[in-house]
Amino acid sequence: MKQEPLLSAFTRLRDNLLSMSRRILQDEDDATDALQDAFCRLWPLRGRIKDEQEASALTVTTTRHICIDRARQKSRFTEYDPESYDTCDDEGASESEAIAERFQAVKRLIARELTESQRTILDMRDFRGLEIDEIARQLHMQPTAVRMNLSRARKTIREQYQKLHNHDR
């Protein structure tokens, strides 16, 4: 049976993988989801895995990478919530207003400056956290085309924001 090494390694390491996932993600449900995602990603490769040692290494590495990606995604794109800032003093109020203004400016730039394809790819990658290969599959594109569009979109937003910001000074 070709699937035996993967199933065996995953079963044997499940508790350790779950523990590692919890440490990285700080959430039980997210940790369980990451573990399931890792197994689902490795399942199509089960025929190429030679032995349990290789399966163990792939399982640990894949799970760790998924957890790290999810943790980065969580910290990178938390939506601005003005109520989460202490606005009792004038300085805090002006700072939270400035953050809100920047956030809105970037949203307007995304809507105005990017093509529909670039907006879709940016949303799928940066806001929904999908992997490049998954985006490519869903949009029927090559992964290199997705990376190129994503890079151009980010560059456009960065340049337009800098022009806007420098113009205001």
Side-chain angles (χ1 to χ4, degrees), residues 4-62:
E4 187 108 22
L6 179 61
L7 287 172
S8 179
F10 194 82
T11 303
R12 183 175 52 78
L13 294 171
R14 187 177 190 291
D15 290 339
N16 291 340
L17 293 170
L18 194 55
S19 178
M20 174 186 68
S21 297
R22 272 190 222 112
R23 273 193 317 274
I24 295 171
L25 296 170
Q26 304 292 313
D27 183 79
E28 181 74 28
D29 291 335
D30 287 346
T32 304
D33 288 347
L35 211 56
Q36 184 176 0
D37 192 19
F39 186 75
C40 289
R41 285 190 192 180
L42 290 172
W43 185 251
L45 304 175
R46 68 189 179 277
R48 294 187 222 153
I49 298 172
K50 296 176 187 83
D51 56 26
E52 192 173 335
Q53 183 178 6
E54 182 181 5
S56 296
L58 282 170
T59 302
V60 170
T61 303
T62 302

Side-chain angles (χ1 to χ4, degrees), residues 45 54 75 113 127 136 146-148:
L45 304 175
E54 182 181 5
S75 67
E113 299 292 332
F127 295 103
V146 171
R147 281 189 201 90
M148 180 189 66

Side-chain angles (χ1 to χ4, degrees), residues 67-96:
C67 290
I68 290 169
D69 287 346
R70 287 182 179 200
R72 285 180 183 157
Q73 181 69 30
K74 240 189 213 180
S75 67
R76 199 178 343 159
F77 292 103
T78 54
E79 189 152 339
Y80 169 72
D81 178 14
E83 293 179 10
S84 67
Y85 289 88
D86 180 14
T87 57
C88 293
D89 60 354
D90 289 340
E91 190 176 306
S94 63
E95 185 179 334
S96 63

Side-chain angles (χ1 to χ4, degrees), residues 91-106:
E91 190 176 306
S94 63
E95 185 179 334
S96 63
E97 287 171 10
I99 292 169
E101 287 175 19
R102 279 183 253 150
F103 184 76
Q104 291 304 318
V106 170

